[in-house]
Every structure is written in C-alpha cells, then in structure tokens.
Amino acid sequence: MGWNKLPAQAPARADEISNVKEETVIKVSVLYPNSAGCKFDMRYCLDKHVPMEQQNLGAACKRMAVEEGMAGGAPGAPATYVAMGHLYFDTTDAFQAAFAPHAQAILADIPNYTNTQPTIQISEVKL
Amino acid sequence: MGWNKLPAQAPARADEISNVKEETVIKVSVLYPNSAGCKFDMRYCLDKHVPMEQQNLGAACKRMAVEEGMAGGAPGAPATYVAMGHLYFDTTDAFQAAFAPHAQAILADIPNYTNTQPTIQISEVKL
C-alpha cells in the first residue's frame, strides 16, 4: 500500500496560493465508538459510503483511510472505536468548501452502515 | 508528503511468509485526551520521542504519523484528543515483537512531553 518512510520534515508546498507561511495538511477523523450493541457494516462503508464520499468531495480530498478496531492497549481490552475513518485536505477551508454542498447526502448515509454516533475531530498533520 | 490516492482494494502481498490468506496492515493509535489542564509538547514529541521510537522499533514499524488536535466536529467544539500518534506494522505479532524489548524506554519517555494518559487502540487498516 506504499507506506511512506518517515520524512525528516513535511515538505513546504510552494505551488499553492496561500498567505500561510508553511503549508499544512489537515485530517478529519470520524471515530465510531465501540459502544454496547453497536453495529458497523464495514463492507457497506468500503463499497458504498467511501466511493460516494470520494465522488462528492472530489479532488479536494487528498486521501481517505478506514480502519476497523481490533483491540485496546491492555491485554484483553476492547477497542475504544469499532471503526475510524479519515479524510485528508490541504486546509480546513478546503474541507468545508468540499463538504458543505454534500453534507446532507454524506451524513444521511451513515445510518446505512452504523447505529453509532461518531465523534469528529479535525487535526493538523505534523508528521 | 506523497498522499496516496484511494486504491480500489488493498493489494495482496504475496511476498510475505504467512498462513493468513490476505495480508493486512495494523495500526497502533495512541490517542492523547484533551483533558482539562493537559499539556503536550509537540516539539519534543517530534524531535525526540518519534526518532527514539523509530530507532527502537526498527524496520518492523512501516510508517509513523503524528497529528495535533485542532477542533471537534460541532462549531466551536474542542478536539477530543490534543494529539494522536500512529504506528503501522504488518501484523500485531510484528508490533509486539518490535515493541516488547523497548516498551520500558518508550513508555518512560511519554511524561517528558505530556501529562495525559493516552488511550491505545489497535486497528486493522481496511483502506
């Protein structure tokens, strides 16, 4: 899957129009809690939801990632999240501009694969 | 940073000795809660902790990622996690074999950059 080796530092991206000195990448994480009675249809998520999202968000979404919770840190402990999805954008503005017009369609599809209430976090990618 | 485009499906890796039919990648996430009074020294984490981890874990660790929490999903909401770190391995066995001999050194360094108690999750990378 082409895992990157650790870069010494995130490269500056001079090819982008911006007033910000150093360009960043932001990551929107959707964390689905592993609550009692939770359901998560990974097949639907990968085969239907992700391609729909990809089509709606377009080129602004630089990368997507999906993971399935296996375990917690302590021996025998359950995973805190049954699944996690991540969307990468150049900036929060780019995310909002891409997401807003399709928010309703994307959010309305979530109950088709899970009954959990996901926690959303926006992060700046540092490495 | 070489963000990958979405692969249609994770490629099978036939070059690895395993009884498992389809190879997987696992992700160890270290989630630092954004609790009241929490401190997180991102500079130390990136400049000292990550290189030390990288050296100790060796080639078994295929990739590392670090993010800094910016915001939650609702307008004005804080990030659930002040920071997140991720380590990628071929298998949980590979993680445990690489981590166990250095666990003490790696864990003992955590108070040097944060006063939070991180949540650990092991996940299977699906996309």
Side-chain angles (χ1 to χ4, degrees):
Chain A
M1 295 180 77
W3 302 111
N4 300 322
K5 291 287 172 184
L6 276 175
Q9 196 171 353
R13 297 197 304 218
D15 60 331
E16 207 163 332
I17 298 162
S18 171
N19 294 321
V20 180
K21 264 189 215 167
E22 195 175 334
E23 288 299 325
T24 56
V25 171
I26 68 111
K27 176 183 178 183
V28 179
S29 295
V30 186
L31 311 173
Y32 301 89
N34 191 11
S35 45
C38 73
K39 290 175 189 177
F40 192 95
D41 183 344
M42 183 58 79
R43 203 67 268 158
Y44 184 96
C45 179
L46 294 174
D47 291 349
K48 304 286 185 184
H49 185 74
V50 164
M52 182 270 284
E53 261 189 325
Q54 195 178 11
Q55 187 168 11
N56 279 326
L57 298 174
C61 182
K62 301 298 181 185
R63 182 186 169 220
M64 296 176 80
V66 177
E67 297 121 25
E68 186 169 72
M70 295 170 70
T80 301
Y81 298 104
V82 66
M84 301 194 273
H86 311 282
L87 309 168
Y88 295 80
F89 296 84
D90 283 335
T91 62
T92 49
D93 285 351
F95 160 60
Q96 283 156 358
F99 185 71
H102 307 285
Q104 200 174 350
I106 292 171
L107 298 176
D109 191 44
I110 294 180
N112 290 329
Y113 61 89
T114 186
N115 59 354
T116 65
Q117 288 288 331
T119 294
I120 313 285
Q121 162 143 357
I122 302 176
S123 305
E124 183 181 326
V125 174
K126 306 298 281 187
L127 180 73
Chain B
M1 296 179 75
W3 302 111
N4 300 320
K5 291 287 172 183
L6 276 175
Q9 196 169 355
R13 298 197 304 219
D15 59 331
E16 207 163 332
I17 298 162
S18 170
N19 294 322
V20 180
K21 264 191 217 167
E22 194 175 335
E23 287 299 324
T24 57
V25 171
I26 69 109
K27 176 183 179 182
V28 179
S29 295
V30 186
L31 311 173
Y32 301 89
N34 191 11
S35 45
C38 73
K39 290 174 188 176
F40 193 95
D41 183 344
M42 182 58 79
R43 203 66 268 157
Y44 183 96
C45 179
L46 293 174
D47 291 350
K48 304 286 185 186
H49 185 74
V50 164
M52 182 271 283
E53 262 190 325
Q54 196 179 8
Q55 187 166 11
N56 279 326
L57 298 174
C61 182
K62 301 299 181 184
R63 181 186 169 219
M64 296 176 80
V66 176
E67 297 121 26
E68 186 170 72
M70 296 170 69
T80 301
Y81 298 104
V82 66
M84 301 194 275
H86 311 282
L87 309 168
Y88 295 79
F89 296 85
D90 283 335
T91 61
T92 49
D93 285 350
F95 159 60
Q96 282 155 358
F99 185 71
H102 308 286
Q104 201 174 349
I106 292 171
L107 297 177
D109 191 43
I110 294 180
N112 291 329
Y113 62 90
T114 186
N115 60 354
T116 65
Q117 289 288 331
T119 295
I120 313 285
Q121 162 143 356
I122 303 176
S123 305
E124 184 182 325
V125 174
K126 306 298 280 187
L127 180 72

